[in-house]
Amino acid sequence: YDLKKEAEKLAAEHPEQSTAILDRLAEISSVWEELKGAMRAREESLGEASKLQGFLRDLDGFQSWLSRTQTAVASEDVPTTLPEAEKLLSQHEGIRKEIDHYKKDYQRMRAMGEEVTQGQTDAQYMFLQQRLQALDTGWKELGQMWENRHALLSQAYSFQVFLRDSRQVESFLNNQGYTLFHTEMPSTLQAAEASIKKHEDFMTTMDASEEKINGILDLGRKLVLEDRIHAEKIQEKVDSIDERHSRNQVAANELLARLKDNWDLQHFLQDCQELSLWINEKMLTAQDMSYDEARNLHSKWQKHQAFMAELASNKDWLDKIDKEGQQLLVEKPELEPVVQEKLSALHRLWDELESATQLKAQCLFDANRAELFTQSCSALESWFENLEGQLQSDDYGKDLTSVNILLKKQQMLESQMEIREKELEAIETQTLALSQEDANKDEVDSKYQSVEKKFIGLHGPLHERRRLLLASREGHQFNRDLEDEILWVSERLPLAVSTEHGRDLPSVQLLIKKNQTLQKEIKGHSPRIDDIQERGKNMDVLEVQERLATLLGSWEELVRETEKRHERLEQAHRAQQFYFDAAEAEAWMGEQELHMMSEEKAKDELNAQAMLKKHLVMEQELGDYAQTIHQLANASREMVSSGHPESDRITMRQGQVDKLYASLKDLAEERRAKLQESQCLCQLKRDMEDLEQWISEREVVAASHELGQDYEHVTMLRDKFREFSRDTSNIGQERVDAVNLSADELISSGHSENATVAEWKDGLNEAWADLLELIDTRSQMLGASYELHRLYHDARETLAQIQNKQKQQPDETGRDLNSAEAMQRMHTAYEHDIQALSIQVKQVQDDASRLQKAYAGEKAEDIHRHNQAVTEAWNELLSSSSSRRQLLLDTVDMFRFFKMVRDLMLWMDDVDLQIDAQENPRDVSSADLMIKNHQGIKAEVEARADSFAICFAIGNDLLQKNHYASEKITEKLAQLQERRKGINEKWQDKMDWLQIVLEVLMFGRDASMAEAWLASQEPIVRSTELGNSVGEVESLIKRHEAFQKSAAAWDERFSMLERLTTLEQNEKRQREEAAKKMRPTTPPEPEPEPEPE
């Protein structure tokens, strides 16, 4: 501006140069404008670049946050405790809040990205679009991952809560079980009652805890259906708790039954104890014989009569206990010993008491019959006179209380009459006894008849007085009941005639409840009114009839007014209910009308779907609400037709409701049509975009050239691609057909966007065809790679298994028979395992032969090398397995032979011990017994001959087979043969020794018998008695002849005793041999053999 002023000033001052100055000024202005334009363009360019850089920076930051959050959400940590579950769930909820906080940033960034990339075809912007698509995918995956993780943590939290509650439940179930199974039966009635009460309280606590147990069981069953991870543990815990709870319930019922049975037993035992104490106490009275003085004889007799009456009255006590005992025996047979013992003891005590009582009565009567008779009659007459004075009284009571007192006195007199009757029966007995032995028979009879006549004469006045007293009580009772009912009716009549009907629905309902309560009271009181009316018919008193008529009139008025008030309240209730329902209907329809009149339009398909869904729900609610409108209309018509006092108001309110409902339905239909049209277009657009995005993602996978580095890799690629191909073909074709069908329907329906829909459809079908072609090509490439890598893998796997089996062959053959047989069984199983490998070897060989034809060069050589390695390893494994099998067979045979030798050696050691364990015999019988036992050992040795033969045969067979342990086998055979020979020789030596001992013992026995016979016969031979008479001489001759016969019989025994025994013969032989050895001509004598013991 200053330069322009200066140029104008110069032009004015120098007119001749004004043209040049102005041209120069115009040139400078033009350059200035160009510079300003360039500056503006530069600023705009820098602004867009800054905006793009800021967007890229925000995008990097957001993707970094998205990656971190996905990593945090993808955590595999599973909580093992409840605090940990709460902590993880709280942290996960914090992540949700963080995601919600970043939602606006995501939406802003997505909008900015669309703005930046819109209309751009540069590669950098295409890459940016891919990043935005990846951002969308990551955001959706984050939401889905959060939901999955949230579901997992919720299940884990619920599981930990269930475990915590189940531990609490198990704790008090354990306490219940311990209490139930450690409760002892009390031994007293009080303790039994306390135990039952305590157990009932315990069962009450069990019932109180049952709700919690059922709650945890229901929670567990619900978690089993929802939580697939912990379902098995939860089900196991639920079954355990349910089983223990059921077991505790059964145990509690059984324990209660046992406690009640014990209470019955203790009650019975206490009754028995009380009766026993009572019987013992009465036994002291019955056994009291201090009645020698005549002056108090009658009083003792009366006391004894009362005692007998008391005894007779308490006989029911014994019968009751007897009945209870029999019932216990029927219901509980296991208590029979205790119950029978108690019942027997009680009956024995009772019989003793009755016997003592009868004995005392007889003694009292026999002590002084005449005096007793006179005193008894005098006492009865005195009592009769006193009773006559009481019966002549005119006092029958002035009110209900005094009448009841007189009736109690009357009952006492009647009870005393029964006692006096028994005394009279006793006097009759005394009369009969005195008549038989006393001279004053007539006086005694007349005295008894006089007393009996007075007693009979008192029955009539006594019954008459009782009748008058009962009549008096009935009259006084009727008057009181009548007054009470009149007062009751008068108190409730004001409630029945009230005109208060309520101003709103709650007040009317309250009044109805009060009136219903009054009606129930009246209905419950009606039997009392009927009873008083029935009793009043027998009353002829005018005053009573008037008061009864007053009561009946008031009662009828009360019933009538109550029914009228019920009808009025019902009418008021129907009207107030209608007003209340109509007001609620108008309020609800007003709210719905606001929603129907909304002009909000859907922004996208989800929004349109949500709006339509919400509208359909509202429309369904509106349709369902027609039932409510119909019910209101029916209610209003019924009240109007029945002539309700508020019919006009009811009709007007019903018309308002109908009009509002009809207008609301029209609005709903218009709103639904608009929302459906918007949803169809949004849905087709969303389906097209989703399907194209899905096809693009699938094309990236199908175009991959990765064929796998090894078998596992190619298998994974092939399986994944097969699943990918199957899912793509099935799901994709279905989705494409569905989208094409939707597009055709929209086109055929004449939609305004037909051209756009047709263009979308053609592009979609072309992309789908390209994807199917890519999938087919990659499937063929992966199949060929899989076949080759599978052969390599199978060959390596088979070779590794063969080598592993080769290493598994142990060198050990076993230390004994059991281990050798175990080794043999293991080798048999090992050979079965090897046999299973033959199928794999055959498969590798077949696959190698087939693939060698399809490949050439380096791959064919590689296939041949793998096949040859497997075949050589397999042949080597079969050879080593066969060698080891034969070695194990030889080892088992050897150990079996050694076991048989060891068993026989152990048996021979046992036989050796048996031979050495025999004690020296002390008499002939023990020697004979030892010889028999020794012969039994010989029989056992001979019975083992077959075992020795078998053992020798096995050993010789092994030697013939050139067994690798032939030296040990030969040594064992020699040891066995030598040991067997030694046992036989030892047995024979022992047998010879026992024969010698038996012979010596028999000699000693016979010598002792001979000495005893000689000693007994020596007095006969040495006797000098020759006899003093012929008879004595003949007797002595006979005795001597008998001695000679006996001596002739003992000659043979003495000759046998003179023979040398085997022991003496051996000793003689040894002395002769020793003498021969002492001669000088003989060579030096050898050492003498030790003498046998």
Side-chain angles (χ1 to χ4, degrees), residues 254-463:
E254 292 177 353
L255 180 58
L256 180 60
R258 293 201 305 273
L259 288 173
K260 288 183 178 180
D261 294 345
N262 183 67
W263 182 87
D264 293 337
L265 176 61
Q266 298 301 328
H267 184 268
F268 171 75
L269 294 177
Q270 182 168 341
D271 289 346
C272 293
Q273 184 179 6
E274 290 176 356
L275 182 56
S276 299
L277 294 175
W278 184 85
I279 291 174
N280 292 330
E281 180 183 353
K282 297 304 176 183
M283 183 66 75
L284 297 176
T285 304
Q287 292 175 350
D288 183 14
M289 295 297 181
S290 59
Y291 47 80
D292 296 335
E293 299 179 4
R295 54 188 175 83
N296 60 353
L297 188 62
H298 180 66
S299 63
K300 287 185 175 292
W301 171 256
Q302 288 182 329
K303 289 180 181 179
H304 191 68
Q305 291 295 320
F307 177 77
M308 293 178 67
E310 181 184 2
L311 189 63
S313 64
N314 281 287
K315 182 68 179 295
D316 296 337
W317 191 359
L318 177 63
D319 295 339
K320 178 184 177 183
I321 292 176
D322 198 4
K323 183 177 180 182
E324 291 178 356
Q326 295 301 327
Q327 186 175 359
L328 275 178
L329 291 177
V330 173
E331 296 176 354
K332 305 168 186 64
E334 65 274 7
L335 303 178
E336 182 176 1
V338 179
V339 175
Q340 286 289 6
E341 181 182 357
K342 288 293 182 180
L343 289 178
S344 301
L346 279 179
H347 280 284
R348 184 175 65 256
L349 289 174
W350 186 268
D351 293 340
E352 293 176 357
L353 179 60
E354 284 187 338
S355 301
T357 302
Q358 295 296 332
L359 178 61
K360 183 175 181 180
Q362 187 63 36
C363 292
L364 282 173
F365 182 70
D366 294 341
N368 196 344
R369 296 181 178 180
E371 182 65 25
L372 183 60
F373 175 78
T374 303
Q375 291 180 3
S376 298
C377 290
S378 300
L380 276 178
E381 288 177 348
S382 175
W383 188 82
F384 289 159
E385 291 175 359
N386 185 24
L387 180 59
E388 286 177 357
Q390 294 181 18
L391 293 176
Q392 291 175 1
S393 174
D394 295 333
D395 184 13
Y396 297 113
K398 298 178 180 180
D399 52 20
L400 185 60
T401 303
S402 60
V403 171
N404 287 331
I405 293 173
L406 292 175
L407 276 172
K408 288 182 179 179
K409 292 181 178 180
Q410 180 72 15
Q411 291 175 356
M412 291 174 60
L413 292 175
E414 291 175 353
S415 299
Q416 292 177 2
M417 280 291 289
E418 294 176 356
I419 296 173
R420 301 306 175 186
E421 184 177 4
K422 293 181 180 179
E423 292 182 5
L424 187 62
E425 292 175 356
I427 292 174
E428 183 181 5
T429 304
Q430 296 175 13
T431 303
L432 294 175
L434 290 173
S435 299
Q436 294 176 1
E437 60 185 37
D438 198 350
N440 298 327
K441 176 182 178 181
D442 297 335
E443 183 180 357
V444 170
D445 292 340
S446 63
K447 187 71 173 177
Y448 169 72
Q449 291 174 1
S450 174
V451 173
E452 184 180 15
K453 183 177 180 182
K454 288 182 180 181
F455 179 77
I456 294 171
L458 288 174
H459 280 288
L462 188 64
H463 292 163

Side-chain angles (χ1 to χ4, degrees), residues 981-993:
K981 181 179 179 182
I983 286 294
N984 289 330
E985 292 176 354
K986 187 173 184 179
W987 183 90
Q988 187 60 44
D989 294 341
K990 185 72 172 181
M991 188 64 185
D992 295 339
W993 180 79

Side-chain angles (χ1 to χ4, degrees), residues 537-550:
K537 293 178 181 179
N538 300 326
M539 301 291 181
D540 296 334
V541 182
L542 179 60
E543 181 182 0
V544 172
Q545 293 296 330
E546 291 177 354
R547 292 165 63 197
L548 181 60
T550 301

Side-chain angles (χ1 to χ4, degrees), residues 13 25 39 49 88 93 236 316 369 428 556 575 616 650 684 757 811 838 905 928 935 952 976:
E13 292 178 353
L25 177 63
M39 288 293 294
L88 291 177
E93 292 293 341
E236 181 180 355
D316 296 337
R369 296 181 178 180
E428 183 181 5
E556 292 176 357
L616 291 176
I650 293 171
L684 178 62
V757 172
D811 296 332
S838 63
M905 295 291 283
D928 188 40
Q935 290 175 346
F952 288 135
L976 183 63

Side-chain angles (χ1 to χ4, degrees), residues 993 995-997 999-1000 1060-1071 1091-1093:
W993 180 79
Q995 291 290 347
I996 293 171
V997 170
E999 189 175 357
V1000 170
L1060 293 176
T1061 62
T1062 305
L1063 179 61
E1064 293 172 334
Q1065 292 176 359
N1066 291 337
E1067 290 179 352
K1068 182 179 179 182
R1069 190 181 309 110
Q1070 290 176 359
R1071 286 194 297 269
E1091 297 179 359
E1093 296 180 358

